[in-house]
Amino acid sequence: MLKNYFKIAYRNLLKKKVYSFINIVGLGIGMACCVLIFMFVQDELSYDKYHEKGDRIYRVLHGELAGDGVEEGSSTEDYWVWGNAPIGPALQLDFPEIEKVVQFSGKADILFTVGDVTQQEDGIVFMDSTVFDVFSWELVEGDPKTALVAPYSAVLNETTAKKYFGDEKALGKTLKGSEVSGRSAAGDYTVTGVLKDFPSNSHLKFNTLLSRSTFKQSRPGVFDQWGYVDSYTYFLVNETFDRASFEAKIPGFLDQRNPNKEYPYTIAIEPLSDVYLKTSAQRQPGDTGSLANIYVFSIIGLFILGIAIINFMNLSTARSMERAKEVGIRKSIGADKNSLIFQFLGESLIIVLLAAVIAVILVSISLPMMNDLTGKVLEVNRILNWQTIPFFLGIIILVGLLAGSYPALVLSSFRPVMILKGINKSDARGGNLRKGLVVFQFSLSIALIAGTIIVYSQVSHLLDKDMGFDKEHMVVVDYNYDEQVNNVSSSLENELEKNPNILSVAFSRSVPGSHFPNAGTTIEGLDGEMVERGQAIFQVGLDFIDHYGLELVAGRSYSRDYPSDSTSALVINEAAARQYGYSNPADIVGKKFDQWGRAGEVIGVVKDFNYISLHNTVEPLTLPFEAYASRYVSLKVKGENLSATLAQIESVWKELAPHRPFIYSFLDEDFNKQYEADFRFRQIFTTFSVLAILIACLGLLGLATYTAEQRTKEIGIRKVLGANIGSIVGLLSKDFIKLVLIAIVVATPLAWYAMNKWLEGFAYQVSIHWWIFLIAGALSIVVALLTISFQSIKAAMMNPVKSLKSE
């Protein structure tokens, strides 16, 4: 019996090669897309799961309670992961449920010298020795208990160790490190450990860990100051930890520990499991993803698989009449309904198994392209193993049963007497089902087209919006706070500005899109009392404001005509003025300030500019004039002869700063790196949307082919009676176009709602206009017409004599 079923299934596949191809290939592409998206989603969800104690690891978030001008009862406005240094030791002393605390600095770039080779190494942090008690990071050389205890100890990852020492054993070797502003990193570091390279699904990735005791030794006492901000704090709790009870104790803990009660400082905690996908905190120490994007891609994967399954069901039910007589004869000679259902489900499973084979081949071929698209290292063996194979087999069986259930039930329900007389009442029901499924298919397709347009518009908006500062043709040279360079900054500026291709030069500690510290700043409030608030800080040179084209809305900028500006003047942005309660920026000009040992008056307010990505609103910012705290020199250059200009800049650099490598980049490119995840999202969304539409078109092509075949004789009669090709094409197309029009009505509100939710992740959004859905609908109609027109024209041009001669 089974052999007979397989033989019939095989003959039916060969008999209708076009339908078989569309079914198998369409389903295969759908399954392959679903698997690729599943691999991406699985990788995103796996972040930080490799830590053995991951479910007991938390981190501290630092926040500022709502201040003046915010209605009473409002919650904390913002949290930063980077914050106060004393919080870690204080938490461990006051909370016995905390087993270990590990703190580390923000990332630094240090000039390392080994022998005659000098390189600037990035991704360096000063790390507590307790790190290996908290995180499951494996040392391939060295002792985790002692590796980061002594000052001037260094743990390199495998890649960095190989870069400096090749195949030699790195343990015990020496690296000579240069100075880093505020961290006193200069000295000879001994390699005390080699760390296995971080897995790709770790939100923390460092090239080098330097002992935090080095940092503490160079600046004794600073780590006890509640206001010294240069620490990320993670901690490990015991098995009985109660998060709700812990959070309830935080206000009392801060009242006792924070000596500066005037500063509205607060903390929150965040589990490691939330760090990558669920956090909204600023100043992250590593990579973050987007839970909203995970939902979007998961839905697209299900859409694609659903469209492929609908194709199968549509084509199977459409062909049911061709097999009606077979069912009638089988029933008349004794076949029962269950055996027929088993036969047709079996045929469905065979098709799904063939599609699964094609899917595996397509996944293997397209995996390198998927890795390029996502920037990940996805591997088949990470999701296909002995634990997951039963799951995937179950999915294949489920898809087979789901796709074949309705056709099987329809075919097995035919009444033999009615079928052999040529009467089939189920055909109308099947036709209505097919129409409903086509509407559903194209609703998904139209929603994806509209979504693609909106995603493209939003990402383009990120690139095109006026950020409030000049970033075009801006070359930025990074010299990493080098004191020798700062000492010759005036000479550098004078020599560089002699070049007619260099329009202006400015020094600063930060540039838009780069790392910046934050500061506690006290400014005279509306009532004359001094008010302390925290905000971002750009330490800038004299010409920075004019150089970057920042617009003054009140007061003045720094000037050579006012020598005291370097010690007793401060420029802030509009957001900072509002932070202290001044709705009119002019009112804060002349008010007293105190910041980091500098005191004087606020002399100017610049218009808010987006110094970080458009995912965030403009935050309060101060721009103190600090001539000797710089890290970057920015050069505004002409667009012509750029390579020659860069060569001339390098020549001046080697003359005045020969000890320092010439490391430059373009500001617009650096700034846009903040949107790399958005660019990837757009690419992935668009790629799979196109594939979903392609699969839907395959199904529509199959239905159009079937419809044309079924109406061959009707078309022949119409041609004999004088119908032209245009009218016949219109006849065959209009039913499908009606379904697409209905799909437009169904898809528009769903797509509008979904994309509005996605846009909530951006502080600055594009508007969703009605014409976007009009374009999406028009494109879907064009796609549908192109899909069915070939088959319609072919049918219309057929010789009516051939169409009617069998009658």
Side-chain angles (χ1 to χ4, degrees):
M1 182 67 73
L2 287 174
K3 181 180 178 182
N4 186 45
Y5 287 163
F6 278 109
K7 188 182 292 185
I8 293 170
Y10 174 72
R11 287 174 177 172
N12 275 307
L13 288 175
L14 290 183
K15 183 180 177 182
K16 295 291 183 180
K17 294 182 180 66
V18 173
Y19 296 115
S20 300
F21 175 83
I22 291 173
N23 260 340
I24 296 171
V25 173
L27 198 53
I29 294 173
M31 293 171 74
C33 291
C34 197
V35 169
L36 289 170
I37 291 174
F38 173 80
M39 292 175 71
F40 172 80
V41 170
Q42 186 267 343
D43 185 83
E44 289 285 281
L45 294 175
S46 72
Y47 265 72
D48 299 314
K49 295 292 193 300
Y50 67 93
H51 294 291
E52 293 177 8
K53 305 170 186 174
D55 60 332
R56 294 194 285 128
I57 299 174
Y58 288 77
R59 71 177 182 184
V60 176
L61 304 181
H62 307 262
E64 180 181 342
L65 291 171
D68 296 339
V70 180
E71 61 184 53
E72 190 175 349
S74 62
S75 61
T76 301
E77 292 185 310
D78 277 315
Y79 284 103
W80 285 18
V81 190
W82 191 55
N84 275 308
I87 196 71
L91 284 170
Q92 185 144 29
L93 282 172
D94 288 16
F95 293 94
E97 58 264 48
I98 295 178
E99 293 184 355
K100 293 286 182 181
V101 173
V102 57
Q103 291 183 296
F104 54 92
S105 68
K107 288 183 181 179
D109 299 340
I110 296 179
L111 211 61
F112 277 147
T113 301
V114 177
D116 297 330
V117 179
T118 298
Q119 297 184 60
Q120 181 157 304
E121 191 64 46
D122 58 5
I124 298 174
V125 294
F126 290 87
M127 180 73 72
D128 275 340
S129 59
T130 52
V131 60
F132 300 108
D133 296 321
V134 178
F135 299 119
S136 300
W137 295 343
E138 181 184 345
L139 284 181
V140 294
E141 292 181 38
D143 183 354
K145 293 182 180 179
T146 60
L148 288 172
V149 173
Y152 293 95
S153 299
V155 173
L156 315 180
N157 68 7
E158 289 177 299
T159 300
T160 306
K162 191 173 184 64
K163 179 168 69 174
Y164 287 103
F165 304 109
D167 295 328
E168 295 180 24
K169 192 171 183 180
L171 201 65
K173 295 287 197 308
T174 301
L175 293 160
K176 186 176 182 61
S178 67
E179 180 72 16
V180 175
S181 177
R183 292 177 178 147
S184 300
D188 293 333
Y189 288 86
T190 302
V191 179
T192 53
V194 176
L195 184 68
K196 189 174 181 180
D197 281 344
F198 289 87
S200 61
N201 58 347
S202 175
H203 86 281
L204 294 175
K205 297 184 182 77
F206 307 120
N207 294 335
T208 303
L209 311 179
L210 303 180
S211 55
R212 201 156 178 259
S213 57
T214 312
F215 197 170
K216 291 180 177 179
Q217 178 178 283
S218 65
R219 302 191 69 187
V222 74
F223 287 86
D224 300 325
Q225 297 176 11
W226 287 81
Y228 178 69
V229 177
D230 192 8
S231 291
Y232 292 98
T233 303
Y234 288 66
F235 59 92
L236 178 69
V237 299
N238 61 25
E239 300 282 357
T240 60
F241 178 74
D242 184 336
R243 181 177 176 180
S245 173
F246 181 89
E247 290 175 328
K249 299 174 187 174
I250 287 176
F253 161 76
L254 289 174
D255 283 342
Q256 182 179 356
R257 285 288 182 175
N258 183 10
N260 187 359
K261 302 297 190 298
E262 294 179 1
Y263 183 66
Y265 173 69
T266 187
I267 64 168
I269 63 171
E270 186 172 53
L272 184 66
S273 57
D274 289 354
V275 164
Y276 182 70
L277 286 176
K278 297 180 182 178
T279 188
S280 58
Q282 299 180 44
R283 305 301 288 273
Q284 293 291 337
D287 298 334
T288 58
S290 167
L291 192 60
N293 289 355
I294 293 297
Y295 289 141
V296 169
F297 289 134
S298 299
I299 290 169
I300 290 176
L302 292 174
F303 277 7
I304 292 174
L305 188 60
I307 289 170
I309 291 173
I310 287 169
N311 284 348
F312 182 92
M313 295 177 68
N314 266 340
L315 294 176
S316 297
T317 53
R319 291 186 55 218
S320 61
M321 280 303 296
E322 295 179 22
R323 303 190 66 180
K325 291 183 179 178
E326 174 194 338
V327 173
I329 293 171
R330 283 180 174 276
K331 280 197 166 187
S332 66
I333 59 176
D336 59 16
K337 183 176 181 178
N338 290 336
S339 66
L340 290 170
I341 290 174
F342 181 77
Q343 175 192 340
F344 294 123
L345 284 177
E347 291 182 15
S348 172
L349 285 172
I350 290 172
I351 292 174
V352 173
L353 284 171
L354 290 172
V357 172
I358 289 180
V360 171
I361 295 170
L362 290 174
V363 167
S364 301
I365 293 171
S366 57
L367 200 54
M369 291 180 284
M370 184 68 177
N371 286 334
D372 289 340
L373 199 63
T374 60
K376 293 181 174 292
V377 185
L378 304 176
E379 299 173 345
V380 173
N381 58 8
R382 285 183 62 179
I383 67 158
L384 195 62
N385 49 54
W386 292 111
Q387 286 77 30
T388 59
I389 285 175
F391 170 76
F392 283 112
L393 287 175
I395 292 294
I396 290 171
I397 293 171
L398 179 64
V399 170
L401 294 176
L402 187 62
S405 58
Y406 185 82
L409 292 171
V410 169
L411 290 168
S412 62
S413 299
F414 287 162
R415 296 175 58 189
V417 174
M418 303 295 287
I419 291 300
L420 294 175
K421 287 182 177 181
I423 303 171
N424 180 20
K425 294 182 180 179
S426 66
D427 190 48
R429 286 180 298 162
N432 291 332
L433 175 69
R434 288 194 295 277
K435 290 177 182 177
L437 293 177
V438 168
V439 169
F440 181 69
Q441 257 186 337
F442 269 85
S443 296
L444 300 183
S445 300
I446 292 163
L448 290 174
I449 292 172
T452 300
I453 295 171
I454 293 167
V455 168
Y456 256 88
S457 299
Q458 177 62 31
V459 176
S460 297
H461 179 63
L462 300 180
L463 300 178
D464 299 337
K465 184 182 181 296
D466 181 9
M467 307 298 288
F469 65 92
D470 189 359
K471 61 185 174 75
E472 299 302 321
H473 302 128
M474 193 76 75
V475 177
V476 178
V477 181
D478 178 4
Y479 59 90
N480 201 24
Y481 310 104
D482 192 297
E483 187 176 349
Q484 295 179 57
V485 177
N486 277 326
N487 288 338
V488 298
S489 59
S490 296
S491 299
L492 262 173
E493 184 173 357
N494 291 334
E495 287 299 314
L496 290 169
E497 287 186 339
K498 290 179 182 178
N499 189 329
N501 290 322
I502 298 175
L503 302 176
S504 61
V505 178
F507 287 81
S508 60
R509 178 174 180 172
S510 305
V511 295
S514 77
H515 172 83
F516 53 85
N518 68 332
T521 308
T522 303
I523 295 181
E524 185 181 351
L526 290 167
D527 58 1
E529 296 292 323
M530 299 300 286
V531 178
E532 185 177 5
R533 293 285 182 266
Q535 61 283 124
I537 177 172
F538 271 32
Q539 291 166 288
V540 301
L542 188 68
D543 302 310
F544 181 90
I545 292 173
D546 292 335
H547 175 79
Y548 273 95
L550 305 184
E551 181 183 341
L552 279 164
V553 294
R556 64 175 177 86
S557 182
Y558 301 115
S559 171
R560 289 176 174 82
D561 297 333
Y562 297 88
S564 61
D565 280 358
S566 61
T567 58
S568 58
L570 182 66
V571 175
I572 64 176
N573 71 348
E574 293 174 295
R578 291 192 297 271
Q579 186 184 28
Y580 290 92
Y582 294 94
S583 56
N584 181 5
D587 294 340
I588 201 171
V589 175
K591 300 298 181 182
K592 297 176 183 177
F593 84 90
D594 192 330
Q595 181 190 68
W596 283 8
R598 299 171 73 251
E601 293 184 353
V602 176
I603 64 167
V605 181
V606 296
K607 186 176 181 179
D608 284 342
F609 65 100
N610 296 95
Y611 57 92
I612 54 177
S613 83
L614 295 177
H615 283 275
N616 308 100
T617 55
V618 178
E619 297 294 332
L621 173 72
T622 62
L623 299 99
F625 174 21
E626 291 278 0
Y628 299 104
S630 298
R631 170 175 181 163
Y632 302 102
V633 54
S634 307
L635 305 101
K636 189 182 298 182
V637 300
K638 293 180 180 178
E640 304 84 21
N641 302 318
L642 193 55
S643 58
T645 303
L646 290 172
Q648 291 162 0
I649 295 170
E650 184 174 10
S651 176
V652 172
W653 186 266
K654 287 181 176 179
E655 181 183 345
L656 293 176
H659 67 289
R660 192 86 208 176
F662 179 64
I663 302 171
Y664 75 92
S665 59
F666 292 96
L667 182 67
D668 55 350
E669 293 177 359
D670 288 344
F671 194 86
N672 289 341
K673 285 178 182 176
Q674 299 176 101
Y675 305 127
E676 188 173 344
D678 300 303
F679 297 148
R680 292 195 183 281
F681 176 82
R682 179 176 69 179
Q683 287 179 301
I684 299 169
F685 189 97
T686 304
T687 300
F688 285 103
S689 294
V690 169
L691 288 170
I693 295 164
L694 173 65
I695 296 169
C697 289
L698 276 175
L700 193 60
L701 176 63
L703 280 179
T705 304
Y706 172 78
T707 302
E709 287 180 0
Q710 292 296 101
R711 302 178 73 171
T712 299
K713 293 181 178 61
E714 176 192 344
I715 293 168
I717 293 170
R718 287 181 180 274
K719 288 196 74 174
V720 168
L721 295 175
N724 58 31
I725 293 176
S727 64
I728 293 172
V729 171
L731 175 72
L732 294 174
S733 303
K734 67 178 182 181
D735 290 339
F736 291 110
I737 298 305
K738 287 178 184 177
L739 299 179
V740 174
L741 290 172
I742 295 171
I744 294 171
V745 175
V746 173
T748 297
L750 297 176
W752 181 88
Y753 174 79
M755 296 316 297
N756 259 310
K757 296 296 289 183
W758 178 73
L759 287 171
E760 288 177 0
F762 299 88
Y764 302 90
Q765 309 165 3
V766 294
S767 300
I768 301 181
H769 299 287
W770 61 268
W771 51 261
I772 292 175
F773 301 99
L774 184 64
I775 292 173
L779 283 174
S780 64
I781 290 173
V782 170
V783 169
L785 282 172
L786 289 175
T787 302
I788 61 180
S789 61
F790 172 77
Q791 195 60 45
S792 299
I793 293 170
K794 181 182 174 182
M797 294 181 68
M798 187 179 295
N799 189 336
V801 174
K802 291 183 179 180
S803 304
L804 299 172
K805 68 179 181 180
S806 61
E807 288 295 337

